[in-house]
Amino acid sequence: MTRTMSTPSPPTPVTKGDPGTQRRARHGATGRPSRGRRTMRRLTPWLFLLVPLALLVTFTYVPVGNMIYYSFTDWDGVSPDRDYVGTENYTELFTRPELFRVFAVSLYYLAASVVQIVISLYFATVLSFDLRFRNLFKGILFFPYLINGVAIGFVFLYFFQDGGTLDSVLTWFGAHGDRAWLGSPESANTSLAGVSVWRFTGLNFVLFLGAIQSIPGELYEAAQLDGASRWKQFRHIIAPGIRPVLSLSVILAISGSLSVFEIPYIMTGGATGTSTFVIQTVKFAFQFNKTGLASACAVVLLAIILLITWIQRRLVPDERVDIV
């Protein structure tokens, strides 16, 4: 009798590193992620944005909403009673021309903003090239922006006073001293606008310098090989490359000139014709206890800034800049 023996077949090898096998092991036979995993993928970006959005809503949108609400009341800022008065505050604001006359002071700061943009663009262009002690010059230009605005106000208050630092320096060159630099509206606003130029030039300088340094260096090398001068490099490489930053600086200059507060408030308190719209609003709220009217002023200022920004963006829209 013959016994037949069957030979067992070898086991099928399993590849441990097969990504398909691992994916099916995690997600099941279909290879699709589970419902819970898909939900977490959708929620993860919002979880990262939860804290910034909470801070933005708490410290920006909620105060703006309260300000709009207060502008329709006669609240004095202290009493718990807030009587609804409708558009009475806005009617008073638009029927008193002297309340808008302070916007003329903003023209001084707007002219100063043009000067500081030109100065900062010039130094940013010069210091973007290879120059000795350029890091020292960068620090000197940016340092005034790091100083507190209140400290700057007190320093220049002594600088412009009668017989002060400026008069002493002018006497060294034979000029007549003891001039009341803050005594008339024209000289006071010009002096205050000059202080703003000294303080905010560093901010625009850093913005322009960062934009210039983001331009590929190969473009400068190619321009030098072609014999392009510094002016041609600025005209055809730097100027097109920093156009978005230049547009941002213009928006900041316009909004900043309309909302000047620190320097004139510390140095003159709004006297001698140096009062700005923000100083006037602060006086309504804390000196005359007209928080409702002050809120209406703030809403109008916000609307003006948004309107000017929208017009500027329509006239000079962002375009894709390709300088390569």
Side-chain angles (χ1 to χ4, degrees):
M1 182 176 180
T2 304
R3 181 179 295 177
T4 304
M5 299 181 62
S6 61
T7 304
S9 59
T12 303
V14 178
T15 305
K16 296 182 178 181
D18 186 10
T21 303
Q22 296 178 358
R23 184 168 56 253
R24 285 191 297 271
R26 290 194 304 267
H27 304 312
T30 60
R32 298 174 58 187
S34 61
R35 183 184 300 273
R37 189 176 294 273
R38 292 197 303 268
T39 303
M40 284 302 299
R41 283 184 180 180
R42 288 193 294 265
L43 291 179
T44 298
W46 294 103
L47 292 177
F48 281 104
L49 291 173
L50 182 61
V51 174
L53 287 176
L55 294 175
L56 180 64
V57 171
T58 303
F59 295 104
T60 301
Y61 295 113
V62 172
V64 170
N66 289 333
M67 180 182 66
I68 296 175
Y69 166 70
Y70 296 150
S71 67
F72 294 100
T73 66
D74 61 350
W75 188 39
D76 59 359
V78 179
S79 174
D81 299 329
R82 303 185 183 97
D83 297 329
Y84 180 78
V85 296
T87 60
E88 182 178 333
N89 292 321
Y90 293 97
T91 303
E92 181 180 358
L93 180 62
F94 286 101
T95 54
R96 294 174 59 182
E98 65 272 11
L99 298 182
F100 282 93
R101 202 169 296 155
V102 293
F103 276 117
V105 178
S106 300
L107 297 178
Y108 289 91
Y109 296 95
L110 184 60
S113 299
V114 175
V115 173
Q116 73 185 23
I117 287 176
V118 173
I119 293 176
S120 58
L121 182 58
Y122 171 77
F123 281 107
T125 304
V126 171
L127 296 178
S128 64
F129 297 105
D130 191 11
L131 186 69
R132 294 183 60 184
F133 305 111
R134 62 176 180 176
N135 290 330
L136 175 63
F137 293 129
K138 291 177 184 178
I140 293 174
L141 289 171
F142 186 66
F143 177 74
Y145 183 70
L146 301 177
I147 306 176
N148 183 267
V150 177
I152 291 177
F154 280 111
V155 168
F156 279 93
L157 181 61
Y158 291 101
F159 182 80
F160 286 114
Q161 71 179 358
D162 298 345
T165 306
L166 181 58
D167 289 336
S168 300
V169 172
L170 292 177
T171 54
W172 296 347
F173 299 95
H176 178 69
D178 297 336
R179 178 180 177 182
W181 296 98
L182 303 178
S184 64
E186 292 77 13
S187 62
N189 286 315
T190 303
S191 302
L192 297 178
V195 175
S196 67
V197 172
W198 181 82
R199 183 188 180 192
F200 292 105
T201 296
L203 174 62
N204 290 281
F205 167 75
V206 171
L207 293 177
F208 290 143
L209 184 64
I212 293 174
Q213 291 181 345
S214 66
I215 299 175
E218 294 82 3
L219 298 177
Y220 297 108
E221 296 176 0
Q224 291 177 357
L225 292 176
D226 292 338
S229 61
R230 297 295 190 188
W231 166 248
K232 290 184 177 180
Q233 293 181 32
F234 172 80
R235 180 181 177 183
H236 298 287
I237 298 178
I238 295 177
I242 65 172
R243 188 182 303 166
V245 178
L246 184 59
S247 178
L248 173 63
S249 298
V250 172
I251 294 175
L252 294 177
I254 296 175
S255 60
S257 62
L258 293 175
S259 57
V260 177
F261 174 70
E262 287 179 319
I263 293 176
Y265 187 77
I266 295 298
M267 296 182 63
T268 63
T272 63
T274 60
S275 179
T276 62
F277 196 77
V278 178
I279 293 178
Q280 178 179 260
T281 302
V282 171
K283 287 184 177 181
F284 282 151
F286 300 103
Q287 184 174 347
F288 303 109
N289 294 329
K290 294 183 178 181
T291 304
L293 181 59
S295 299
C297 293
V299 172
V300 170
L301 179 61
L302 176 62
I304 291 175
I305 292 176
L306 292 177
L307 178 62
I308 293 176
T309 303
W310 179 80
I311 293 175
Q312 193 271 340
R313 303 297 289 177
R314 295 289 294 179
L315 296 178
V316 188
D318 282 339
E319 298 178 357
R320 182 177 178 84
V321 179
D322 189 6
I323 57 178
V324 179

